[in-house]
Amino acid sequence: MSDNEFDILDELYFVASYTDLKRTLSLTDNEICAALQSLIKRGYVKILYPDQDTEHEYNEATFGQHCHDYFYLATKAGLVVHNSN
């Protein structure tokens, strides 16, 4: 797991919007979206949209366009991996 991915998981113990992540982390938009995409593909993070309570299916083709619109939350698997590092 990269440092960026670890730092993002650190912020996702509770639901966080993209804006929250951007404000908290010292990463570029591209770095945040790339790390989120990697974490989502491995099942470590889930997407919530249009609100914080509705799980949204990951779509690789459109994720980059909508990365900034979503809320994110670490999955149980993501928390286990994060805590083992």
Side-chain angles (χ1 to χ4, degrees), residues 4-84:
N4 290 353
E5 291 169 346
F6 185 86
D7 291 345
I8 286 173
L9 274 179
D10 209 33
E11 298 298 322
L12 296 180
Y13 277 70
F14 300 98
V15 175
S17 68
Y18 178 87
T19 305
D20 294 336
L21 293 174
K22 179 71 175 165
R23 188 177 326 124
T24 307
L25 302 168
S26 299
L27 301 172
T28 67
D29 288 331
N30 287 341
E31 289 171 326
I32 294 171
C33 287
L36 282 167
Q37 189 164 25
S38 175
L39 291 165
I40 292 164
K41 285 181 178 180
R42 288 186 277 169
Y44 296 162
V45 169
K46 62 182 175 180
I47 300 169
L48 304 168
Y49 182 81
D51 55 54
Q52 297 181 15
D53 298 319
T54 308
E55 195 164 343
H56 183 73
E57 188 172 325
Y58 170 69
N59 182 330
E60 187 171 1
T62 61
F63 180 78
Q65 297 167 318
H66 300 289
C67 174
H68 307 90
D69 301 328
Y70 300 139
F71 295 91
Y72 300 95
L73 180 65
T75 63
K76 183 177 180 180
L79 295 176
V80 169
V81 169
H82 181 260
N83 288 322
S84 67

